[in-house]
Amino acid sequence: MSNSFIIGQYVPGSSIVHRLDPRTKMTIIFFFVIIVFLANSVGSYGVLIVFALLSMFITRIPIHYIVKGLTPVWFLIIFTFILHLFVTREGTVLFEIYTFKVYSGGVIQGFAIAMRFFLLILVTSLLTLTTTPIEITDAIEDMLEPLKKIKFPVHELALMMSISLRFIPTLMQETEKISKAQASRGVDFKTGPIKERAKAIVPLLVPLFVSAFKRAEDLAMAMEARGYHGGEGRTKLRALKIEKRDIFVYILFAIVIALLLYTRN
Amino acid sequence: MDITFKNVNYIYQQNSPFAHKAIDDLSFHIPSGSFVAIIGHTGSGKSTLIQHLNGLVVPSEGEVRVGDFLLTKDKKPKNMKELRSRIGVVFQYPEHQLFEETVEKDIAFGPTNFHVDAEEIKRRIHEIVPLVGLSSDFLKRSPFDLSGGQMRRVAIAGVLAVRPDVLVLDEPTAGLDPRGQKEIMHMFYSMHKQQNLTTILVTHSMEDALKYADHVIILNKGTKYMEGRPEEVFIQKEALHRVQLDVPEVIQFLDQFEKKFNQPIPFMRQSIVDIAKSIRNVVKGDASK
């Protein structure tokens, strides 16, 4: 698997960010996403950037890995910036490219939006980088608990999520294996006209579906054999627990919000 | 085709926290026409090694030479398709690669990709199907209606129909019943002899390696641990045990025999009948015959 795209990729570690309760991380990110849109001054952006970069350093995941992993996103960020540069017409004219006038408001607006984008993606990818998919589903199941009152199938939803997350790497391995086998039989996935390449997908997809269905059947059988009967009365091996460090992080985040509101204009 | 590995290194997911060296400074030479067994514990780099042979992966360092094709980090051969048509790879559980509506179409898939003309493909199919132990009644059936063992045979036929010069087999008999295993290995061996193929067999079975190979390479943690003729390699019990490998049963037997009777019978790849004769001679106290 040579993909450099890191969103959704978990990197094991033992930093404090890794060990936080997943509910804490998700709550904080939920509020972070909201407060990013409150920032409107240099100071308030500064507060958010410091918070995001600090969290990033604390995870102890190699920086170059995160930077490289965000490569596909850099493009989007730069694109947003340039778009704002040309579309916003506020403030004074700074310079002209051909017939396009670039306004000072455009530069500021472009920076602000690109920065929001960057912060959002950085912080949310920190969640998936430091939290296993299983922890995330556990947290979701726990946080959606109140919905059970209105007969919402919370447990089933969480189970479906964790099963699909669990099988993403398996299916990727399978895809790689089958594509290698078909490449050995002369399929060319990488070059040639689009029409030929689209056709080359069939020998990849058919075996993949066949094995996915077979896997699903096997899994269902294995679950039943081990007495699975839905979420009723089921206890957890890894119960989620709020620790001191979680409370500490909540307080820290409250300070960040306070600082942000203070520096806002 | 001659195959040469020269100081090959291969690193998975280079420059990431998941970087992992699968092949570590590996060099060897396989002369054209030989039958080589590659043996190693799980995770020793066997499967990565064979992917170098038809350019599915290229070495992170060092070079791989297959016939006239040279593969290095920066230089892939331009005619990759030709290389792949000359190296036939039977992957582990090859039945997972079946996808066509009929057995016939699936066998024809490889040769069609390599631009063999339709008449010739038909001829090859009718020649190969009985060789892999199927009958022509199967040709119009869906591969997904067949049993696991039959699917395996169809997949193998699909690789053989390309008529490669080098046959690479990655545990081709795993999961088959004992009789099927024997039949399939026998088929590969006779094909190897008749068509003068170069065959590379990745296996866990010491018995198969001993029976068919004329050269054995033992891998451990991505490096070459031992290499030589099977009868030389397989008698080194301690060295093999150190990398969690066992010696073949015949050799274990002769070893125990020597312990009990204080009379060695050197192993020279003799048949079971010959071993029985030697044993009779020892037991009758007439070792000279």
Side-chain angles (χ1 to χ4, degrees):
Chain A
M1 279 176 280
S2 55
N3 55 339
S4 59
F5 201 61
I6 55 162
I7 293 176
Q9 169 97 274
Y10 171 68
V11 181
S14 58
S15 72
I16 179 162
V17 184
H18 282 86
R19 282 178 293 144
L20 279 181
D21 189 294
R23 288 171 301 180
T24 309
K25 285 189 256 187
M26 288 176 70
T27 314
I28 284 181
I29 282 164
F30 178 75
F31 284 107
F32 186 86
V33 168
I34 294 172
I35 61 170
V36 159
F37 293 97
L38 293 179
N40 62 0
S41 67
V42 178
S44 53
Y45 273 107
V47 171
L48 293 177
I49 291 169
V50 168
F51 174 74
L53 291 184
L54 207 64
S55 321
M56 183 177 88
F57 284 116
I58 294 173
T59 61
R60 285 202 231 127
I61 295 167
I63 309 294
H64 69 88
Y65 181 67
I66 298 179
V67 173
K68 206 182 115 214
L70 294 177
T71 320
V73 187
W74 288 129
F75 169 75
L76 262 176
I77 293 174
I78 292 168
F79 180 73
T80 336
F81 177 70
I82 294 175
L83 200 70
H84 274 276
L85 217 55
F86 290 116
V87 175
T88 314
R89 287 157 195 278
E90 282 164 31
T92 52
V93 179
L94 288 179
F95 53 89
E96 255 177 73
I97 307 171
Y98 298 110
T99 55
F100 281 106
K101 291 190 178 100
V102 174
Y103 293 86
S104 61
V107 176
I108 294 168
Q109 191 74 359
F111 255 119
I113 300 293
M115 193 47 84
R116 274 181 196 169
F117 215 168
F118 169 73
L119 285 172
L120 285 179
I121 288 161
L122 177 64
V123 170
T124 39
S125 58
L126 281 185
L127 171 73
T128 49
L129 281 169
T130 61
T131 321
T132 60
I134 294 295
E135 281 179 314
I136 294 180
T137 11
D138 278 353
I140 290 176
E141 182 175 1
D142 191 81
M143 290 159 88
L144 292 183
E145 196 75 24
L147 289 181
K148 269 191 184 160
K149 291 234 164 64
I150 55 162
K151 296 251 165 80
F152 185 79
V154 173
H155 172 79
E156 282 71 17
L157 186 79
L159 182 77
M160 265 154 52
M161 269 183 66
S162 56
I163 289 177
S164 28
L165 287 170
R166 155 68 184 76
F167 279 99
I168 288 172
T170 313
L171 285 179
M172 275 172 68
Q173 262 174 22
E174 193 90 10
T175 313
E176 185 174 298
K177 222 187 80 181
I178 295 169
S179 74
K180 278 182 173 165
Q182 307 299 27
S184 304
R185 295 211 280 167
V187 178
D188 195 345
F189 293 105
K190 287 182 185 134
T191 56
I194 282 286
K195 204 180 146 205
E196 290 298 306
R197 268 191 279 174
K199 259 201 215 154
I201 298 292
V202 177
L204 185 62
L205 279 189
V206 174
L208 203 59
F209 272 101
V210 170
S211 80
F213 281 122
K214 199 169 167 330
R215 241 178 250 285
E217 256 168 49
D218 290 351
L219 181 67
M221 197 86 86
M223 283 168 74
E224 225 161 302
R226 291 205 276 167
Y228 179 78
H229 56 83
E232 217 50 54
R234 206 173 153 77
T235 53
K236 283 225 155 60
L237 177 62
R238 300 168 309 258
L240 298 174
K241 197 165 157 253
I242 298 289
E243 306 268 355
K244 269 197 197 123
R245 54 172 171 264
D246 293 296
I247 295 169
F248 171 72
V249 169
Y250 276 123
I251 293 170
L252 195 80
F253 191 63
I255 296 173
V256 169
I257 296 180
L259 273 176
L260 174 91
L261 294 177
Y262 179 71
T263 49
R264 234 179 135 233
N265 55 13
Chain B
M1 286 168 111
D2 278 26
I3 295 166
T4 312
F5 273 52
K6 213 162 121 193
N7 305 102
V8 172
N9 281 291
Y10 185 76
I11 303 165
Y12 274 106
Q13 305 205 357
Q14 213 165 357
N15 301 326
S16 84
F18 304 102
H20 159 66
K21 201 166 201 176
I23 295 209
D24 189 359
D25 197 23
L26 183 65
S27 304
F28 61 79
H29 173 74
I30 297 173
S32 186
S34 48
F35 195 123
V36 180
I38 294 178
I39 302 174
H41 201 247
T42 314
S44 59
K46 298 171 300 206
S47 295
T48 313
L49 188 158
I50 60 169
Q51 290 178 27
H52 283 82
L53 296 170
N54 68 349
L56 288 173
V57 298
V58 287
S60 305
E61 274 168 60
E63 62 173 59
V64 174
R65 204 178 275 280
V66 181
D68 297 329
F69 300 89
L70 175 72
L71 294 124
T72 64
K73 189 183 178 187
D74 316 299
K75 227 184 102 204
K76 274 191 186 186
K78 288 207 175 59
N79 42 355
M80 193 61 107
K81 211 160 184 178
E82 199 201 325
L83 171 65
R84 293 203 174 140
S85 73
R86 298 182 65 182
I87 315 282
V89 186
V90 177
F91 282 95
Q92 257 178 59
Y93 301 101
E95 57 272 26
H96 292 166
Q97 73 199 28
L98 301 176
F99 72 99
E100 278 285 12
E101 296 146 55
T102 66
V103 167
E104 187 173 21
K105 279 188 188 171
D106 210 292
I107 300 177
F109 180 68
T112 312
N113 283 329
F114 294 122
H115 312 297
V116 179
D117 64 66
E119 279 303 303
E120 168 69 11
I121 295 177
K122 264 223 160 74
R123 231 173 40 73
R124 287 187 192 178
I125 290 178
H126 284 282
E127 192 186 303
I128 283 162
V129 165
L131 275 181
V132 296
L134 298 172
S135 71
S136 42
D137 312 340
F138 281 97
L139 289 178
K140 295 288 170 217
R141 288 172 62 180
S142 160
F144 297 107
D145 289 340
L146 307 181
S147 74
Q150 290 164 338
M151 284 168 84
R152 175 83 53 100
R153 287 159 199 260
V154 172
I156 290 172
V159 174
L160 295 175
V162 178
R163 292 251 173 97
D165 300 329
V166 178
L167 201 52
V168 181
L169 311 168
D170 191 353
E171 296 187 40
T173 60
L176 291 181
D177 59 88
R179 191 165 150 212
Q181 293 189 1
K182 224 176 186 168
E183 282 172 12
I184 298 260
M185 277 317 297
H186 191 77
M187 186 264 304
F188 282 132
Y189 191 65
S190 53
M191 199 161 276
H192 166 80
K193 284 279 173 226
Q194 277 165 20
Q195 302 180 14
N196 197 25
L197 301 174
T198 309
T199 306
I200 292 162
L201 171 71
V202 171
T203 182
H204 278 297
S205 161
M206 301 293 158
E207 320 298 328
D208 281 348
L210 182 63
K211 203 162 162 190
Y212 301 109
D214 39 45
H215 194 80
V216 175
I217 296 174
I218 307 231
L219 286 185
N220 183 41
K221 292 182 184 151
T223 54
K224 189 166 71 186
Y225 180 71
M226 279 159 99
E227 183 180 12
R229 299 188 58 77
E231 61 270 31
E232 295 160 6
V233 170
F234 286 142
I235 51 173
Q236 303 181 44
K237 199 166 115 192
E238 277 77 31
L240 288 170
H241 277 308
R242 243 173 285 151
V243 289
Q244 283 115 51
L245 294 174
D246 260 328
V247 297
E249 268 184 349
V250 197
I251 293 173
Q252 284 180 35
F253 174 78
L254 291 178
D255 205 44
Q256 287 300 318
F257 184 83
E258 188 182 335
K259 272 190 193 137
K260 288 262 191 298
F261 288 84
N262 269 325
Q263 190 72 256
I265 299 175
F267 181 68
M268 292 167 303
R269 283 184 111 173
Q270 60 270 61
S271 67
I272 293 203
V273 178
D274 287 334
I275 291 177
K277 275 184 196 153
S278 313
I279 291 174
R280 185 191 60 194
N281 294 340
V282 171
V283 172
K284 282 186 170 173
D286 189 7
S288 57
K289 265 187 198 168

